[in-house]
mmCIF file with all atom_site columns, all heavy atoms in Angstrom:
data_model
loop_
_atom_site.group_PDB
_atom_site.id
_atom_site.type_symbol
_atom_site.label_atom_id
_atom_site.label_alt_id
_atom_site.label_comp_id
_atom_site.label_asym_id
_atom_site.label_entity_id
_atom_site.label_seq_id
_atom_site.pdbx_PDB_ins_code
_atom_site.Cartn_x
_atom_site.Cartn_y
_atom_site.Cartn_z
_atom_site.occupancy
_atom_site.B_iso_or_equiv
_atom_site.pdbx_formal_charge
_atom_site.auth_seq_id
_atom_site.auth_comp_id
_atom_site.auth_asym_id
_atom_site.auth_atom_id
_atom_site.pdbx_PDB_model_num
ATOM 1   N N   . LEU F 1 6   ? -1.812  -10.213 11.481  1.00 0.00 ? 15  LEU F N   1
ATOM 2   C CA  . LEU F 1 6   ? -0.755  -9.201  11.488  1.00 0.00 ? 15  LEU F CA  1
ATOM 3   C C   . LEU F 1 6   ? -0.965  -8.273  12.678  1.00 0.00 ? 15  LEU F C   1
ATOM 4   O O   . LEU F 1 6   ? -2.019  -7.642  12.792  1.00 0.00 ? 15  LEU F O   1
ATOM 5   C CB  . LEU F 1 6   ? -0.784  -8.353  10.204  1.00 0.00 ? 15  LEU F CB  1
ATOM 6   C CG  . LEU F 1 6   ? -0.596  -9.052  8.857   1.00 0.00 ? 15  LEU F CG  1
ATOM 7   C CD1 . LEU F 1 6   ? -0.701  -8.046  7.731   1.00 0.00 ? 15  LEU F CD1 1
ATOM 8   C CD2 . LEU F 1 6   ? 0.743   -9.760  8.805   1.00 0.00 ? 15  LEU F CD2 1
ATOM 9   N N   . ASN F 1 48  ? -6.860  18.292  4.915   1.00 0.00 ? 57  ASN F N   1
ATOM 10  C CA  . ASN F 1 48  ? -7.806  19.194  4.253   1.00 0.00 ? 57  ASN F CA  1
ATOM 11  C C   . ASN F 1 48  ? -7.963  18.821  2.787   1.00 0.00 ? 57  ASN F C   1
ATOM 12  O O   . ASN F 1 48  ? -7.185  18.027  2.242   1.00 0.00 ? 57  ASN F O   1
ATOM 13  C CB  . ASN F 1 48  ? -7.306  20.647  4.365   1.00 0.00 ? 57  ASN F CB  1
ATOM 14  C CG  . ASN F 1 48  ? -7.139  21.083  5.804   1.00 0.00 ? 57  ASN F CG  1
ATOM 15  O OD1 . ASN F 1 48  ? -8.070  20.968  6.606   1.00 0.00 ? 57  ASN F OD1 1
ATOM 16  N ND2 . ASN F 1 48  ? -5.961  21.576  6.149   1.00 0.00 ? 57  ASN F ND2 1
ATOM 17  N N   . ASP F 1 62  ? 2.385   -1.578  -21.033 1.00 0.00 ? 71  ASP F N   1
ATOM 18  C CA  . ASP F 1 62  ? 2.126   -3.014  -21.046 1.00 0.00 ? 71  ASP F CA  1
ATOM 19  C C   . ASP F 1 62  ? 2.092   -3.567  -19.613 1.00 0.00 ? 71  ASP F C   1
ATOM 20  O O   . ASP F 1 62  ? 3.137   -3.682  -18.974 1.00 0.00 ? 71  ASP F O   1
ATOM 21  C CB  . ASP F 1 62  ? 3.210   -3.749  -21.848 1.00 0.00 ? 71  ASP F CB  1
ATOM 22  C CG  . ASP F 1 62  ? 3.165   -3.398  -23.321 1.00 0.00 ? 71  ASP F CG  1
ATOM 23  O OD1 . ASP F 1 62  ? 2.094   -3.007  -23.793 1.00 0.00 ? 71  ASP F OD1 1
ATOM 24  O OD2 . ASP F 1 62  ? 4.209   -3.517  -23.986 1.00 0.00 ? 71  ASP F OD2 1
ATOM 25  N N   . LYS F 1 110 ? -0.373  13.185  12.604  1.00 0.00 ? 119 LYS F N   1
ATOM 26  C CA  . LYS F 1 110 ? -0.925  12.802  13.903  1.00 0.00 ? 119 LYS F CA  1
ATOM 27  C C   . LYS F 1 110 ? -2.419  13.122  13.981  1.00 0.00 ? 119 LYS F C   1
ATOM 28  O O   . LYS F 1 110 ? -3.209  12.292  14.460  1.00 0.00 ? 119 LYS F O   1
ATOM 29  C CB  . LYS F 1 110 ? -0.178  13.537  15.016  1.00 0.00 ? 119 LYS F CB  1
ATOM 30  C CG  . LYS F 1 110 ? -0.658  13.173  16.412  1.00 0.00 ? 119 LYS F CG  1
ATOM 31  C CD  . LYS F 1 110 ? 0.243   13.762  17.489  1.00 0.00 ? 119 LYS F CD  1
ATOM 32  C CE  . LYS F 1 110 ? 0.082   15.268  17.607  1.00 0.00 ? 119 LYS F CE  1
ATOM 33  N NZ  . LYS F 1 110 ? 0.804   15.798  18.797  1.00 0.00 ? 119 LYS F NZ  1
ATOM 34  N N   . GLU F 1 111 ? -2.819  14.284  13.516  1.00 0.00 ? 120 GLU F N   1
ATOM 35  C CA  . GLU F 1 111 ? -4.230  14.681  13.588  1.00 0.00 ? 120 GLU F CA  1
ATOM 36  C C   . GLU F 1 111 ? -5.111  13.769  12.747  1.00 0.00 ? 120 GLU F C   1
ATOM 37  O O   . GLU F 1 111 ? -6.194  13.351  13.178  1.00 0.00 ? 120 GLU F O   1
ATOM 38  C CB  . GLU F 1 111 ? -4.392  16.136  13.136  1.00 0.00 ? 120 GLU F CB  1
ATOM 39  C CG  . GLU F 1 111 ? -5.799  16.659  13.331  1.00 0.00 ? 120 GLU F CG  1
ATOM 40  C CD  . GLU F 1 111 ? -5.939  18.145  13.057  1.00 0.00 ? 120 GLU F CD  1
ATOM 41  O OE1 . GLU F 1 111 ? -4.904  18.844  12.908  1.00 0.00 ? 120 GLU F OE1 1
ATOM 42  O OE2 . GLU F 1 111 ? -7.089  18.622  12.981  1.00 0.00 ? 120 GLU F OE2 1
ATOM 43  N N   . ALA F 1 113 ? -4.409  10.673  11.798  1.00 0.00 ? 122 ALA F N   1
ATOM 44  C CA  . ALA F 1 113 ? -4.393  9.338   12.409  1.00 0.00 ? 122 ALA F CA  1
ATOM 45  C C   . ALA F 1 113 ? -5.394  9.246   13.555  1.00 0.00 ? 122 ALA F C   1
ATOM 46  O O   . ALA F 1 113 ? -6.131  8.249   13.690  1.00 0.00 ? 122 ALA F O   1
ATOM 47  C CB  . ALA F 1 113 ? -2.991  9.003   12.901  1.00 0.00 ? 122 ALA F CB  1
ATOM 48  N N   . LYS F 1 115 ? -8.086  10.970  13.945  1.00 0.00 ? 124 LYS F N   1
ATOM 49  C CA  . LYS F 1 115 ? -9.443  11.075  13.419  1.00 0.00 ? 124 LYS F CA  1
ATOM 50  C C   . LYS F 1 115 ? -9.938  9.746   12.841  1.00 0.00 ? 124 LYS F C   1
ATOM 51  O O   . LYS F 1 115 ? -11.116 9.417   12.938  1.00 0.00 ? 124 LYS F O   1
ATOM 52  C CB  . LYS F 1 115 ? -9.515  12.164  12.344  1.00 0.00 ? 124 LYS F CB  1
ATOM 53  C CG  . LYS F 1 115 ? -9.565  13.591  12.872  1.00 0.00 ? 124 LYS F CG  1
ATOM 54  C CD  . LYS F 1 115 ? -9.556  14.596  11.722  1.00 0.00 ? 124 LYS F CD  1
ATOM 55  C CE  . LYS F 1 115 ? -9.707  16.030  12.219  1.00 0.00 ? 124 LYS F CE  1
ATOM 56  N NZ  . LYS F 1 115 ? -11.103 16.363  12.552  1.00 0.00 ? 124 LYS F NZ  1
ATOM 57  N N   . ILE F 1 127 ? 4.390   8.007   3.098   1.00 0.00 ? 136 ILE F N   1
ATOM 58  C CA  . ILE F 1 127 ? 5.459   9.017   3.163   1.00 0.00 ? 136 ILE F CA  1
ATOM 59  C C   . ILE F 1 127 ? 6.288   8.975   1.886   1.00 0.00 ? 136 ILE F C   1
ATOM 60  O O   . ILE F 1 127 ? 7.393   9.515   1.835   1.00 0.00 ? 136 ILE F O   1
ATOM 61  C CB  . ILE F 1 127 ? 6.387   8.779   4.372   1.00 0.00 ? 136 ILE F CB  1
ATOM 62  C CG1 . ILE F 1 127 ? 7.072   7.404   4.263   1.00 0.00 ? 136 ILE F CG1 1
ATOM 63  C CG2 . ILE F 1 127 ? 5.602   8.895   5.675   1.00 0.00 ? 136 ILE F CG2 1
ATOM 64  C CD1 . ILE F 1 127 ? 8.190   7.192   5.258   1.00 0.00 ? 136 ILE F CD1 1
ATOM 65  N N   . CYS F 1 129 ? 5.036   9.031   -1.847  1.00 0.00 ? 138 CYS F N   1
ATOM 66  C CA  . CYS F 1 129 ? 4.489   9.269   -3.184  1.00 0.00 ? 138 CYS F CA  1
ATOM 67  C C   . CYS F 1 129 ? 5.513   10.030  -4.036  1.00 0.00 ? 138 CYS F C   1
ATOM 68  O O   . CYS F 1 129 ? 5.955   11.114  -3.649  1.00 0.00 ? 138 CYS F O   1
ATOM 69  C CB  . CYS F 1 129 ? 3.195   10.063  -3.100  1.00 0.00 ? 138 CYS F CB  1
ATOM 70  S SG  . CYS F 1 129 ? 2.481   10.413  -4.725  1.00 0.00 ? 138 CYS F SG  1
ATOM 71  N N   . ILE F 1 138 ? 9.353   14.013  -0.275  1.00 0.00 ? 147 ILE F N   1
ATOM 72  C CA  . ILE F 1 138 ? 10.718  13.841  0.225   1.00 0.00 ? 147 ILE F CA  1
ATOM 73  C C   . ILE F 1 138 ? 10.772  13.230  1.620   1.00 0.00 ? 147 ILE F C   1
ATOM 74  O O   . ILE F 1 138 ? 11.840  12.874  2.088   1.00 0.00 ? 147 ILE F O   1
ATOM 75  C CB  . ILE F 1 138 ? 11.482  15.195  0.231   1.00 0.00 ? 147 ILE F CB  1
ATOM 76  C CG1 . ILE F 1 138 ? 10.825  16.180  1.204   1.00 0.00 ? 147 ILE F CG1 1
ATOM 77  C CG2 . ILE F 1 138 ? 11.602  15.758  -1.152  1.00 0.00 ? 147 ILE F CG2 1
ATOM 78  C CD1 . ILE F 1 138 ? 11.668  17.412  1.471   1.00 0.00 ? 147 ILE F CD1 1
ATOM 79  N N   . ALA F 1 178 ? 14.988  3.982   10.385  1.00 0.00 ? 187 ALA F N   1
ATOM 80  C CA  . ALA F 1 178 ? 14.441  5.144   11.086  1.00 0.00 ? 187 ALA F CA  1
ATOM 81  C C   . ALA F 1 178 ? 13.015  4.853   11.552  1.00 0.00 ? 187 ALA F C   1
ATOM 82  O O   . ALA F 1 178 ? 12.639  5.165   12.691  1.00 0.00 ? 187 ALA F O   1
ATOM 83  C CB  . ALA F 1 178 ? 14.466  6.365   10.169  1.00 0.00 ? 187 ALA F CB  1
ATOM 84  N N   . ASN F 1 191 ? 6.092   1.526   -2.710  1.00 0.00 ? 200 ASN F N   1
ATOM 85  C CA  . ASN F 1 191 ? 5.295   2.499   -3.447  1.00 0.00 ? 200 ASN F CA  1
ATOM 86  C C   . ASN F 1 191 ? 5.794   2.514   -4.892  1.00 0.00 ? 200 ASN F C   1
ATOM 87  O O   . ASN F 1 191 ? 6.722   1.789   -5.249  1.00 0.00 ? 200 ASN F O   1
ATOM 88  C CB  . ASN F 1 191 ? 5.423   3.891   -2.806  1.00 0.00 ? 200 ASN F CB  1
ATOM 89  C CG  . ASN F 1 191 ? 4.155   4.722   -2.987  1.00 0.00 ? 200 ASN F CG  1
ATOM 90  O OD1 . ASN F 1 191 ? 3.511   4.664   -4.033  1.00 0.00 ? 200 ASN F OD1 1
ATOM 91  N ND2 . ASN F 1 191 ? 3.795   5.502   -1.983  1.00 0.00 ? 200 ASN F ND2 1
ATOM 92  N N   . LYS F 1 204 ? 7.314   15.888  -26.206 1.00 0.00 ? 213 LYS F N   1
ATOM 93  C CA  . LYS F 1 204 ? 7.328   16.367  -24.829 1.00 0.00 ? 213 LYS F CA  1
ATOM 94  C C   . LYS F 1 204 ? 6.726   15.294  -23.920 1.00 0.00 ? 213 LYS F C   1
ATOM 95  O O   . LYS F 1 204 ? 6.060   14.371  -24.400 1.00 0.00 ? 213 LYS F O   1
ATOM 96  C CB  . LYS F 1 204 ? 6.556   17.674  -24.699 1.00 0.00 ? 213 LYS F CB  1
ATOM 97  C CG  . LYS F 1 204 ? 5.076   17.585  -25.012 1.00 0.00 ? 213 LYS F CG  1
ATOM 98  C CD  . LYS F 1 204 ? 4.417   18.948  -24.842 1.00 0.00 ? 213 LYS F CD  1
ATOM 99  C CE  . LYS F 1 204 ? 2.905   18.843  -25.080 1.00 0.00 ? 213 LYS F CE  1
ATOM 100 N NZ  . LYS F 1 204 ? 2.244   20.151  -24.887 1.00 0.00 ? 213 LYS F NZ  1
ATOM 101 N N   . LYS F 1 217 ? 3.539   -4.734  -13.530 1.00 0.00 ? 226 LYS F N   1
ATOM 102 C CA  . LYS F 1 217 ? 4.502   -5.834  -13.659 1.00 0.00 ? 226 LYS F CA  1
ATOM 103 C C   . LYS F 1 217 ? 5.949   -5.351  -13.753 1.00 0.00 ? 226 LYS F C   1
ATOM 104 O O   . LYS F 1 217 ? 6.867   -6.056  -13.326 1.00 0.00 ? 226 LYS F O   1
ATOM 105 C CB  . LYS F 1 217 ? 4.161   -6.690  -14.872 1.00 0.00 ? 226 LYS F CB  1
ATOM 106 C CG  . LYS F 1 217 ? 2.958   -7.584  -14.653 1.00 0.00 ? 226 LYS F CG  1
ATOM 107 C CD  . LYS F 1 217 ? 2.784   -8.593  -15.774 1.00 0.00 ? 226 LYS F CD  1
ATOM 108 C CE  . LYS F 1 217 ? 1.610   -9.524  -15.481 1.00 0.00 ? 226 LYS F CE  1
ATOM 109 N NZ  . LYS F 1 217 ? 1.408   -10.525 -16.555 1.00 0.00 ? 226 LYS F NZ  1
ATOM 110 N N   . ILE F 1 219 ? 7.571   -3.312  -12.080 1.00 0.00 ? 228 ILE F N   1
ATOM 111 C CA  . ILE F 1 219 ? 8.275   -3.016  -10.827 1.00 0.00 ? 228 ILE F CA  1
ATOM 112 C C   . ILE F 1 219 ? 8.345   -4.209  -9.874  1.00 0.00 ? 228 ILE F C   1
ATOM 113 O O   . ILE F 1 219 ? 8.889   -4.104  -8.782  1.00 0.00 ? 228 ILE F O   1
ATOM 114 C CB  . ILE F 1 219 ? 7.667   -1.798  -10.094 1.00 0.00 ? 228 ILE F CB  1
ATOM 115 C CG1 . ILE F 1 219 ? 6.300   -2.135  -9.468  1.00 0.00 ? 228 ILE F CG1 1
ATOM 116 C CG2 . ILE F 1 219 ? 7.551   -0.604  -11.022 1.00 0.00 ? 228 ILE F CG2 1
ATOM 117 C CD1 . ILE F 1 219 ? 5.814   -1.093  -8.476  1.00 0.00 ? 228 ILE F CD1 1
ATOM 118 N N   . VAL F 1 226 ? 13.193  -5.255  -2.352  1.00 0.00 ? 235 VAL F N   1
ATOM 119 C CA  . VAL F 1 226 ? 13.023  -4.475  -1.130  1.00 0.00 ? 235 VAL F CA  1
ATOM 120 C C   . VAL F 1 226 ? 12.454  -5.342  -0.011  1.00 0.00 ? 235 VAL F C   1
ATOM 121 O O   . VAL F 1 226 ? 12.919  -5.294  1.131   1.00 0.00 ? 235 VAL F O   1
ATOM 122 C CB  . VAL F 1 226 ? 12.133  -3.240  -1.378  1.00 0.00 ? 235 VAL F CB  1
ATOM 123 C CG1 . VAL F 1 226 ? 11.823  -2.528  -0.059  1.00 0.00 ? 235 VAL F CG1 1
ATOM 124 C CG2 . VAL F 1 226 ? 12.821  -2.271  -2.342  1.00 0.00 ? 235 VAL F CG2 1
ATOM 125 N N   . VAL F 1 227 ? 11.444  -6.148  -0.320  1.00 0.00 ? 236 VAL F N   1
ATOM 126 C CA  . VAL F 1 227 ? 10.868  -7.044  0.693   1.00 0.00 ? 236 VAL F CA  1
ATOM 127 C C   . VAL F 1 227 ? 11.932  -8.008  1.212   1.00 0.00 ? 236 VAL F C   1
ATOM 128 O O   . VAL F 1 227 ? 12.036  -8.247  2.421   1.00 0.00 ? 236 VAL F O   1
ATOM 129 C CB  . VAL F 1 227 ? 9.654   -7.819  0.110   1.00 0.00 ? 236 VAL F CB  1
ATOM 130 C CG1 . VAL F 1 227 ? 9.234   -8.950  1.050   1.00 0.00 ? 236 VAL F CG1 1
ATOM 131 C CG2 . VAL F 1 227 ? 8.491   -6.871  -0.126  1.00 0.00 ? 236 VAL F CG2 1
ATOM 132 N N   . ASN F 1 235 ? 12.619  -7.694  12.150  1.00 0.00 ? 244 ASN F N   1
ATOM 133 C CA  . ASN F 1 235 ? 11.660  -8.715  12.577  1.00 0.00 ? 244 ASN F CA  1
ATOM 134 C C   . ASN F 1 235 ? 10.277  -8.080  12.716  1.00 0.00 ? 244 ASN F C   1
ATOM 135 O O   . ASN F 1 235 ? 9.724   -7.969  13.807  1.00 0.00 ? 244 ASN F O   1
ATOM 136 C CB  . ASN F 1 235 ? 12.110  -9.333  13.903  1.00 0.00 ? 244 ASN F CB  1
ATOM 137 C CG  . ASN F 1 235 ? 11.207  -10.469 14.345  1.00 0.00 ? 244 ASN F CG  1
ATOM 138 O OD1 . ASN F 1 235 ? 10.577  -11.130 13.514  1.00 0.00 ? 244 ASN F OD1 1
ATOM 139 N ND2 . ASN F 1 235 ? 11.116  -10.675 15.651  1.00 0.00 ? 244 ASN F ND2 1
ATOM 140 N N   . LEU F 1 255 ? 7.716   -15.845 -0.305  1.00 0.00 ? 264 LEU F N   1
ATOM 141 C CA  . LEU F 1 255 ? 9.034   -16.473 -0.194  1.00 0.00 ? 264 LEU F CA  1
ATOM 142 C C   . LEU F 1 255 ? 10.114  -15.440 0.122   1.00 0.00 ? 264 LEU F C   1
ATOM 143 O O   . LEU F 1 255 ? 11.086  -15.742 0.830   1.00 0.00 ? 264 LEU F O   1
ATOM 144 C CB  . LEU F 1 255 ? 9.369   -17.206 -1.496  1.00 0.00 ? 264 LEU F CB  1
ATOM 145 C CG  . LEU F 1 255 ? 8.518   -18.441 -1.799  1.00 0.00 ? 264 LEU F CG  1
ATOM 146 C CD1 . LEU F 1 255 ? 8.767   -18.922 -3.220  1.00 0.00 ? 264 LEU F CD1 1
ATOM 147 C CD2 . LEU F 1 255 ? 8.801   -19.560 -0.809  1.00 0.00 ? 264 LEU F CD2 1
ATOM 148 N N   . ASP F 1 294 ? 4.535   -21.415 6.501   1.00 0.00 ? 303 ASP F N   1
ATOM 149 C CA  . ASP F 1 294 ? 5.752   -22.153 6.143   1.00 0.00 ? 303 ASP F CA  1
ATOM 150 C C   . ASP F 1 294 ? 6.589   -21.435 5.090   1.00 0.00 ? 303 ASP F C   1
ATOM 151 O O   . ASP F 1 294 ? 7.814   -21.507 5.111   1.00 0.00 ? 303 ASP F O   1
ATOM 152 C CB  . ASP F 1 294 ? 5.407   -23.550 5.596   1.00 0.00 ? 303 ASP F CB  1
ATOM 153 C CG  . ASP F 1 294 ? 4.900   -24.502 6.665   1.00 0.00 ? 303 ASP F CG  1
ATOM 154 O OD1 . ASP F 1 294 ? 5.195   -24.291 7.854   1.00 0.00 ? 303 ASP F OD1 1
ATOM 155 O OD2 . ASP F 1 294 ? 4.169   -25.434 6.293   1.00 0.00 ? 303 ASP F OD2 1
#
Side-chain angles (χ1 to χ4, degrees):
L15 300 178
N57 301 307
D71 293 335
K119 182 171 72 171
E120 186 173 349
K124 282 177 176 281
I136 61 169
C138 179
I147 64 169
N200 211 323
K213 63 180 183 179
K226 286 190 177 180
I228 73 166
V235 173
V236 168
N244 184 27
L264 292 170
D303 289 337

